[in-house]
Amino acid sequence: MRVLVVEDELYLAEAVQAGLRLEAIAADVVGDGDAALERLAVHVYDVVVLDRDIPGTHGDEVCRIIVERGLGCRVLMLTAAARLGDKVGGFELGADDYLTKPFDLAELVVRLRALARRPAESAPPVLEQAGLRLDPFRREVYRDGRYVALSRKQFAVLEVLMAARGGVISSEDLLERAWDENADPFTNAVRITISSLRKRLGDPWVIQTVPGVGYRFGLPEEGVR
């Protein structure tokens, strides 16, 4: 999952970013509405954590633009305004969820996971394919009933591949979805992570290389190894 955090309180934004990374969630941070719109024009995000009262373009206007342009990302309003009228106003603008400050990071993570499961075609909360079971909430992976310990980045890459349901994901898309904006587009991090992930998951490989295209999740007989 990739998240954009729009928050002008730097200490809070950085704390949220660090906490989300520990949960294998790639998070970018901006401090105003104008910067948020710039990022949204360039990157694809699953969820935008959006403070309503931010400098530049107001958070309400950012939310309205996201909805009008059909950017496909969910919006979680994050604000100190706890009155019912404020919440209703946020939902009327097109927000998908609302969390008031102060908040617990664990609750934010749960809400983000829930929002990310609501694309146009709903996805199951637990992904199960080819003998693998991935639980995004518990951050657990099992292969044929055997627990597999994965690093945060390995988990994030596997989640993106399994969520594609057999579709091919390019290295560029993996870098976009599982890493944050600081990732070097010319890095071999994707290849290295895929290699280490295959070793952790064991034989037969369930991550296949599609030459010149990218990677897909599936058993060898279902694709090119």
Side-chain angles (χ1 to χ4, degrees):
M1 186 195 314
R2 187 170 184 180
V3 173
L4 177 63
V5 180
V6 188
E7 170 60 62
D8 63 327
E9 295 182 41
L10 183 59
Y11 75 92
L12 176 59
E14 291 180 343
V16 169
Q17 182 182 46
L20 293 182
R21 285 176 175 172
L22 290 176
E23 296 293 332
I25 298 175
D28 297 337
V29 170
V30 294
D32 62 76
D34 297 334
L37 293 175
E38 290 176 2
R39 297 294 177 86
L40 288 165
V42 176
H43 301 292
V44 176
Y45 293 98
D46 298 291
V47 184
V48 177
V49 179
L50 179 64
D51 189 353
R52 292 185 76 175
D53 189 16
I54 51 176
T57 304
H58 193 274
D60 289 356
E61 180 65 11
V62 173
C63 181
R64 185 188 63 77
I65 291 173
I66 289 173
V67 174
E68 286 188 352
R69 294 181 181 176
L71 298 182
C73 51
R74 303 295 180 181
V75 176
L76 187 154
M77 286 282 194
L78 185 62
T79 177
R83 296 187 302 273
L84 178 60
D86 294 315
K87 294 182 179 181
V88 171
F91 285 122
E92 288 178 341
L93 288 166
D96 299 280
D97 201 356
Y98 207 106
L99 188 60
T100 57
K101 303 175 186 177
F103 61 91
D104 188 274
L105 183 63
E107 181 179 2
L108 174 61
V109 171
V110 169
R111 288 174 179 267
L112 290 176
R113 291 288 186 189
L115 288 175
R117 295 204 314 269
R118 291 196 236 160
E121 181 181 352
S122 61
V126 176
L127 301 172
E128 295 186 78
Q129 299 173 52
L132 259 73
R133 184 177 190 275
L134 183 149
D135 188 329
F137 282 93
R138 292 186 171 87
R139 285 187 55 224
E140 294 177 343
V141 173
Y142 292 85
R143 181 162 194 182
D144 298 324
R146 173 182 61 87
Y147 175 73
V148 181
L150 299 180
S151 70
R152 292 190 295 272
K153 197 58 65 180
Q154 290 169 342
F155 186 94
V157 169
L158 181 61
E159 184 176 9
V160 172
L161 289 170
M162 290 186 70
R165 302 181 184 180
V168 178
I169 305 295
S170 68
S171 294
E172 292 77 12
D173 284 342
L174 279 173
L175 200 63
E176 175 79 14
R177 299 293 298 279
W179 276 261
D180 58 29
E181 64 178 340
N182 297 314
D184 182 353
F186 301 104
T187 183
N188 59 358
V190 172
R191 179 180 58 80
I192 293 173
T193 302
I194 291 289
S195 177
S196 63
L197 182 54
R198 283 169 169 161
K199 292 176 181 177
R200 288 284 184 94
L201 295 175
D203 290 326
W205 285 0
V206 288
I207 299 176
Q208 314 306 324
T209 299
V210 181
V213 182
Y215 303 93
R216 65 180 296 274
F217 184 89
L219 291 171
E221 62 268 24
E222 297 174 336
V224 181
R225 177 163 176 164

